Amino acid sequence: MVLNKVKEMLAEKLGLSVDEITVESKFSDLGLDSLDTAEMLMNLEAEFGVSLEVDASLNTVGAIVEKLESLVGNA
């Protein structure tokens, strides 16, 4: 569920197919700059009702999904 939602949000923002986005996709490779990434994190916080801290390790779709799943599981 979390992975699908993240992929959907990215695909919509970037005009990509959901299939083009994988857990290994780096945000920079998808064309997101730091401002875009921060905006996406804020949107994900609102979507999932959690608080994400900007962290350099959150640079792939998989890293974000893993972090969200850990936070949603604790909510």
Side-chain angles (χ1 to χ4, degrees):
M1 174 196 140
V2 174
L3 175 60
N4 290 339
K5 188 60 183 176
V6 171
K7 288 174 65 171
E8 287 171 12
M9 290 174 75
L10 281 168
E12 183 178 329
K13 177 169 182 56
L14 300 170
L16 298 172
S17 162
V18 172
D19 296 333
E20 294 177 80
I21 302 168
T22 68
V23 292
E24 294 87 17
S25 297
K26 291 185 178 182
F27 297 127
S28 58
D29 293 342
L30 293 172
L32 291 173
D33 62 21
S34 58
L35 183 60
D36 292 327
T37 302
E39 181 182 337
M40 183 195 63
L41 290 176
M42 288 188 296
N43 291 339
L44 289 169
E45 286 177 328
E47 179 71 29
F48 290 98
V50 297
S51 180
L52 291 168
E53 298 208 14
V54 177
D55 182 336
S57 69
L58 299 178
N59 63 349
T60 65
V61 171
I64 288 287
V65 169
E66 190 175 300
K67 183 68 172 179
L68 284 169
E69 286 176 340
S70 73
L71 292 171
V72 170
N74 294 329

